[in-house]
Amino acid sequence: MTTAPPRPGPVLDGWQRLTDTVRQAEKTLSALPTPADRTAAQRAAADAVKNRARAERAGFLDMHADAVYDRLTDGRARELRIGELVEAAATAYPGLVPAADLLERERARPQADKEGHEIDQGIFLRAVLRSPVSGPHLLAAMLRPTDRALALLPEFRRTGVVRTTAVRLERRDGVARLTLCRDDRLNAEDDQQVDDMETAVDLALLDPEVRVGLVRGGEMSHPRYRGRRVFSAGINLKNLSSGDISLVGFLLRRELGYLHKLVRGIRTEHPAAWHTPYTEKPWVAAVDGFAIGGGAQLLLVFDHVLAASDAYLSLPAAKEGIIPGVANFRFGRYVGPRLSRQVILEGRRIRAAEPAARLLVDEVVEPEELDAAVERSLARFDGDAVLANRHMLNLADEPADAFRAYMAEFALQQALRLYGADVIDKVGRFAAGSS
């Protein structure tokens, strides 16, 4: 993508001041050893120049975020997903966000040896999302079906089956059955899983023969759980330690993409677009084994959740050191502030059989009865009035502007957490101990 240079004026002046600061920071950093090999004094020097550049970026975007966004999107005539948006910003405003080649080199390094350039993406996306003008436009762009899903739609309409690396999607009796099938890693989440899940959710929402969706974990080949169903072990900490979990491609795309689509639906041009551009459907989840971290976060966007009586849920944010997605925004709505803090801040595990679980799970049944209970729940959600009432419940429970404000701050705070010394140390020890 090519973009004309900024016109003379305040935006250009501010950007030129920013680029001067960024060049100085890059010069200082290039003279230092890689982050893992720096002395305490060298780390302090690196932090100082990076913080000066980040303060300059934040100040520039406080003043000009909407002007930048309008230039990148042709006055909001074009809809760019977050990945496309940061790439466009890197081309149009070098130094505002890291260039693609810089991120590619950074991605090849373990987390402990990165400079943290993704933090600059977090600064940019926080400014865009918190704008009442640009933010809603970006959220709307993220609710469009992906090109991958549109390409696979004819096959899915014809066969009712699509198999990807992380998700098996089958349409049967009007139900889109999404089975999480990373059987060797307990359905741990990574960039591939996010891409596959968004594709499957899009297909389920696009197919007019689908009336309700189901998400459930498949049988595992992992030695400890061989032959047993597992819902999700959450974020893949090995991938985080090795530097293979990205801010934009995983952490933000996950929340603004398929999870948000489960709540709001997808934006399409359809015959009923005169009253709503969204296509929504009800969703059911069934938990076998456990829903840890991202798995537990996922349950918060479903209309009905069932769990086997021997399952458990947890959000080990304090242990991992990162923010558990949008759980901090949604969890208290289900369980109240006290239990929310116990789970998120203290790592309390909730077992399906204990009373507190009924705040998060609609039905708890014996493992051998779960299949039948799932089918009964799917039948209950196959009704014409369900969609309208679901739409109004979600509108009341999660107003779009409140979600956008949360995601704006999350974009930066999660980026900062990714590069926290405690996170790098914890995930490094986890990866070493599980290898």
Side-chain angles (χ1 to χ4, degrees), residues 77-285:
R78 298 169 58 239
E79 292 186 329
L80 300 178
R81 289 171 62 85
I82 51 173
E84 298 167 329
L85 184 67
V86 294
E87 288 180 12
T91 299
Y93 295 92
L96 182 60
V97 295
D101 60 340
L102 179 60
L103 285 173
E104 193 64 30
R105 293 196 300 272
E106 185 98 325
R107 184 74 182 263
R109 301 176 178 178
Q111 198 70 8
D113 215 17
K114 295 184 180 185
E115 292 287 2
H117 294 299
E118 288 178 302
I119 294 171
D120 304 329
Q121 292 179 321
I123 294 170
F124 171 66
L125 291 169
R126 178 184 65 165
V128 170
L129 284 166
R130 69 183 177 185
S131 163
V133 177
S134 302
H137 189 266
L138 178 56
L139 289 186
M142 289 300 295
L143 291 177
R144 287 283 191 187
T146 63
D147 290 341
R148 184 187 181 199
L150 292 173
L152 289 171
L153 182 59
E155 176 191 351
F156 182 60
R157 291 287 311 276
R158 181 175 60 84
T159 66
V161 177
V162 168
R163 299 175 186 272
T164 62
T165 301
V167 183
R168 183 174 66 253
L169 171 64
E170 299 173 89
R171 182 188 65 239
R172 193 167 68 250
D173 299 326
V175 178
R177 300 169 188 270
L178 284 66
T179 303
L180 308 176
C181 57
R182 298 300 284 275
D183 57 284
D184 60 334
R185 60 196 71 187
L186 305 179
N187 290 326
E189 299 175 305
D190 55 18
D191 285 25
Q192 181 67 56
Q193 192 264 3
V194 168
D195 189 30
D196 290 350
M197 274 297 287
E198 184 164 16
T199 300
V201 169
D202 281 355
L203 289 169
L205 291 169
L206 287 166
D207 184 355
E209 293 186 43
V210 170
R211 298 186 299 275
V212 59
L214 168 70
V215 176
R216 191 175 183 183
E219 292 185 1
M220 298 292 103
S221 62
H222 188 283
R224 290 180 59 189
Y225 296 89
R226 191 180 305 278
R228 296 167 55 188
R229 285 182 180 266
V230 163
F231 191 72
S232 175
I235 192 170
N236 191 319
L237 294 177
K238 282 187 177 181
N239 282 23
L240 179 55
S241 178
S242 64
D244 292 318
I245 294 291
S246 62
L247 175 70
V248 169
F250 177 88
L251 293 161
L252 293 177
R253 178 182 174 183
R254 178 180 183 272
E255 304 299 340
L256 296 174
Y258 85 85
L259 283 175
H260 197 206
K261 287 174 176 177
L262 290 171
V263 176
R264 301 288 182 199
I266 53 171
R267 289 183 67 241
T268 57
E269 300 299 331
H270 56 82
W274 66 267
H275 68 79
T276 176
Y278 298 99
T279 298
E280 302 178 45
K281 291 172 185 176
W283 290 90
V284 173

